[in-house]
Amino acid sequence: MTMPQQPQVNVNISQPPLPPQQPPVRQSNLRTKRSLLKYVLLGLVTFGIYDIWQMSEISETLNLIATRRDGKRTMHYCLMFFLVGWLTLGIGWLVWYHKLSGRIGVEQAARGLPVTVTAATYWLWNVLGSLIIVGPFIYTYKLLHAMNDLCTDYNARG
């Protein structure tokens, strides 16, 4: 018996090697220009519509940043504002902001950023601080800047 002969393969070694694969480029960067002045003024001009949009954007952005690490999801603000908050006679808003603030603080700590917003920040500045009128503004300022810091870190490190 004779063995069939293997076909010979000609390999052309003179072709240049393929370039190394580059990491995929992100489609868009997260917003990092939130400010209290814009939040208040545009909220007044748009009769609160800008405020609803801003908080909706914050809940979506936090889900994008933190869900991969902690596996949780924050309820969309529009659902909270238009349905759950009213059905629970305001208790839903308290719980939502408590969880949002706590989650922001945990994410700041996980990324090595200074923790500026926690659930205690919400209760002390937004709830008890409303007795001195400026407390909710201080809480909102802290919330917006904490999200700016998280988005800046996410844009840099993913």
Side-chain angles (χ1 to χ4, degrees):
M1 280 188 119
T2 60
M3 298 284 284
Q5 290 187 351
Q6 296 282 339
Q8 291 188 0
V9 178
N10 291 333
V11 178
N12 187 356
I13 301 177
S14 65
Q15 291 180 350
L18 294 174
Q21 292 291 333
Q22 297 294 325
V25 178
R26 267 192 217 117
Q27 297 292 333
S28 63
N29 286 330
L30 299 178
R31 290 182 51 237
T32 59
K33 301 277 187 193
R34 298 171 188 88
S35 74
L36 179 64
L37 182 64
K38 186 173 19 170
Y39 183 81
V40 171
L41 291 180
L42 286 177
L44 290 171
V45 170
T46 62
F47 302 106
I49 295 172
Y50 178 78
D51 297 346
I52 294 170
W53 173 83
Q54 181 69 65
M55 291 308 296
S56 297
E57 191 264 341
I58 284 174
S59 66
E60 291 172 357
T61 302
L62 185 60
N63 282 335
L64 175 67
I65 293 172
T67 299
R68 185 176 62 195
R69 188 189 55 74
D70 65 9
K72 298 177 184 175
R73 304 262 319 149
T74 298
M75 182 187 302
H76 196 277
Y77 186 74
C78 286
L79 178 63
M80 172 53 56
F81 184 81
F82 292 112
L83 186 64
V84 176
W86 298 103
L87 288 176
T88 60
L89 303 176
I91 295 172
W93 283 309
L94 297 174
V95 172
W96 189 85
Y97 275 106
H98 172 88
K99 287 184 174 184
L100 176 81
S101 300
R103 193 167 180 217
I104 289 172
V106 168
E107 189 62 26
Q108 285 178 318
R111 291 179 171 271
L113 300 172
V115 178
T116 57
V117 174
T118 62
T121 308
Y122 167 69
W123 290 105
L124 293 174
W125 282 114
N126 202 40
V127 177
L128 289 177
S130 63
L131 297 174
I132 60 170
I133 313 247
V134 296
F137 293 107
I138 294 171
Y139 169 74
T140 304
Y141 174 84
K142 288 175 161 282
L143 176 73
L144 295 173
H145 283 274
M147 285 304 298
N148 285 343
D149 293 343
L150 282 175
C151 290
T152 301
D153 187 71
Y154 182 81
N155 288 340
R157 297 190 305 159

